[in-house]
Amino acid sequence: MPTVTVKLYSVLFKFLCKRRLQTLIDSSLPENPNFKTFGVVSRPDESVAASNPSFSGNDVATKDIHIDPLTSLSLRIFLPNTALSSPNSETRFRVRPTTKYVDETLKQDDGVYGGYSPNMDKNCRKIPVIVQFHGGGFVGGSNDSVANDLFCRRIAKLCDAIVIAVGYRLAPENRYPGAFEDGVKVLNWLGKQANLAECSKSLGNWRGVGGDLHRRQIVDSFGASVVEPWLAAHADPSRCVLLGVSCGANIANYVALKAVEAGKVLDPVRVVAQVLMYPFFIGSVPTHSEIKLANSYLYDKSMAILSWKLFLPEEEFDLDHPAANPLLPGRGMSLKYMPPTLTVVAEHDWMRDRAIAYSEELRKVNVDAPLLDYHDAVHEFATLDVLLKTPQAQACAEDIAIWVKKYISLRGGEFSY
């Protein structure tokens, strides 16, 4: 059984969460359609971790960027310091630097920016990219929350990868398909960044006469575009993994589907795997766990239904909506084309049965789809702020890293159960 601390926290969490959901339902939405389109990516009561683009005192540097002028869609990039290793230092195991990196590119003479700035003249080490979608029932959470920041740092270090945490638009300000479209938009942006970086390199945009650093603008059909230096120097988009937490798993699964449908249009981005952590699946016909654990810890079924009412347009509200229930037949592309999928479930989570069933359906069509089932665990046991530092949360992150490295290791096939 969960600890007394978890049980007590669950009571408080449910009270606060239900009050927030009811407030969002009762409150009238802004009448300004432009505000609705722009949206919000965080709530005022969310505890936010400040970004730090420097490696001083950190294993992982972070920066926030806003990628869409028409919406509030934003990203937090997590860059592990192992990316600063020599390109020839690919080893069988995770690189553990023994010395602190001191580089003249960490500071600028004008004193404006004190973060890491890669030297594009050097052959920088390329590492995989993990695109992460946070949880929060589509109506809460954020990519820069304290809990999500700590979790993404952990994944970046364990997987030796760049983590891009997506700040998608929240409901009810932006209902379906807003958050799902934001996920696809990030993947397209990642491909565009890779192509722009290649153009910049071929045009010699990084250094001018006399060694003065400058960047020439590249103009495309969307106007002037700026190359993101961390990604240009260190990202390998051909080794891209999607990772979704709770409702973020629903977004990740949708993005994976769209990536398969897009095919080579996304080149050089290639989604090689996805991780679904306790996905937010539901359906009109209840499963055994939905009946037995309907009033379980933290997120009970009634709260989830309220979240779906806030997320889905009123005229489309249906627990068998494609965004909610991926198991109904006749829903588009066959599952056999989906990327390898790791599913994480918890013993005391009422959503577990439908996630297990989805994993089984993937295995039936020969998709590599292992299941990690954690004993005495609750929903969001590996990502919730009060549980992040527990041994079980650490073990879950390590298990995810072991499986993910099967698909992102340059040597391939080294990491498996």
Side-chain angles (χ1 to χ4, degrees), residues 226-344:
V226 178
V227 177
E228 208 304 302
W230 287 9
L231 299 183
H234 299 292
D236 180 1
S238 67
R239 294 182 286 163
C240 180
V241 176
L242 306 178
L243 189 156
V245 176
S246 191
C247 69
N250 297 45
I251 300 174
N253 194 62
Y254 175 87
V255 174
L257 175 66
K258 292 301 179 182
V260 172
E261 291 179 352
K264 293 185 178 181
V265 173
L266 281 175
D267 279 351
V269 176
R270 181 168 172 258
V271 176
V272 297
Q274 67 169 338
V275 180
L276 308 181
M277 300 182 69
Y278 19 83
F280 206 59
F281 297 154
I282 197 170
S284 59
V285 179
T287 63
H288 176 71
S289 64
E290 289 175 4
I291 296 172
K292 182 181 177 181
L293 302 170
N295 195 35
S296 60
Y297 304 99
L298 299 174
Y299 298 95
D300 59 38
K301 190 175 180 180
S302 63
M303 292 165 60
I305 292 175
L306 286 176
S307 293
W308 281 110
K309 284 183 177 179
L310 286 165
F311 179 61
L312 295 175
E314 292 182 13
E315 65 276 8
E316 294 184 33
F317 178 73
D318 181 0
L319 294 182
D320 285 328
H321 190 282
N325 188 357
L327 293 172
L328 293 183
R331 289 289 172 86
M333 189 194 70
S334 172
L335 292 179
K336 68 181 180 181
Y337 299 109
M338 292 296 282
T341 303
L342 174 66
T343 305
V344 176

Side-chain angles (χ1 to χ4, degrees), residues 38-201:
F38 191 78
V40 297
V41 296
S42 181
R43 300 293 175 194
D45 57 350
E46 195 73 55
S47 298
V48 174
S51 61
N52 183 359
S54 169
F55 287 108
S56 57
N58 292 301
D59 292 333
V60 179
T62 59
K63 71 159 68 168
D64 296 326
I65 57 175
H66 179 222
I67 66 170
D68 185 4
L70 301 179
T71 71
S72 56
L73 175 60
S74 60
L75 307 176
R76 171 161 288 189
I77 302 176
F78 297 80
L79 180 68
N81 59 6
T82 52
L84 278 65
S85 303
S86 166
N88 300 320
S89 66
E90 293 283 355
T91 62
R92 176 167 179 151
F93 302 103
R94 182 166 63 96
V95 179
R96 293 180 181 272
T98 56
T99 60
K100 291 184 179 180
Y101 290 99
V102 180
D103 194 303
E104 68 277 3
T105 59
L106 295 180
K107 292 183 178 180
Q108 300 296 327
D109 294 336
D110 55 15
V112 174
Y113 178 69
Y116 171 62
S117 182
N119 185 344
M120 299 304 295
D121 283 348
K122 293 182 179 179
N123 185 19
C124 299
R125 180 169 178 250
K126 298 285 188 177
I127 58 177
V129 176
I130 298 177
V131 181
Q132 189 260 1
F133 303 93
H134 65 81
F138 299 112
V139 299
S142 70
N143 65 328
D144 58 358
S145 69
V146 172
N148 201 66
D149 183 84
L150 179 56
F151 173 72
C152 289
R153 287 176 181 275
R154 179 177 290 171
I155 292 296
K157 287 190 287 186
L158 289 172
C159 294
D160 187 22
I162 295 173
V163 174
I164 299 177
V166 181
Y168 54 84
R169 290 170 293 168
L170 302 178
E173 291 84 355
N174 287 93
R175 296 176 182 257
Y176 175 86
F180 285 56
E181 290 178 341
D182 287 348
V184 176
K185 191 177 294 183
V186 169
L187 217 58
N188 284 310
W189 176 85
L190 188 59
K192 179 181 174 183
Q193 280 293 313
N195 290 320
L196 287 173
E198 200 61 35
C199 289
S200 295
K201 190 180 296 184

